Amino acid sequence: MNEKAIFCDFYKLTPMEIAPHIVTDASIHHGAPVISGTRVPVSIVIGLLAGGMSLEEVMAEYELRKEQVEAALAYA
């Protein structure tokens, strides 16, 4: 196995913080961005807010902190 293949395998398996409170991990939702410490995809949070849920409703539904929801909005 060459160095490039080893790096690619390591990269796929390593969770990475891509923004504050936002991580990607190949083992969670196929690497889609999620709220750190959860399995909640950023796309779900954004979709719920766009669909009319309040910040507080999203926080209560998914047990998120305000800064996590705001981080999802900032990332989007």
Side-chain angles (χ1 to χ4, degrees):
M1 188 178 269
N2 64 35
E3 287 181 30
K4 185 175 181 180
I6 292 171
F7 174 77
C8 289
D9 288 342
F10 175 76
Y11 174 76
K12 290 177 186 175
L13 298 175
T14 305
M16 289 184 23
E17 184 174 51
I18 58 174
H21 302 286
I22 309 295
V23 297
T24 60
D25 183 338
S27 66
I28 301 173
H29 293 287
H30 306 287
V34 298
I35 306 296
S36 60
T38 74
R39 298 178 66 84
V40 179
V42 170
S43 60
I44 294 293
V45 173
I46 298 306
L48 292 171
L49 292 168
M53 281 183 85
S54 70
L55 187 98
E56 292 76 17
E57 289 172 322
V58 173
M59 290 168 50
E61 183 74 23
Y62 289 96
E63 298 178 4
L64 299 173
R65 297 185 315 274
K66 183 177 181 181
E67 60 267 14
Q68 290 174 310
V69 177
E70 290 173 343
L73 282 169
Y75 176 76

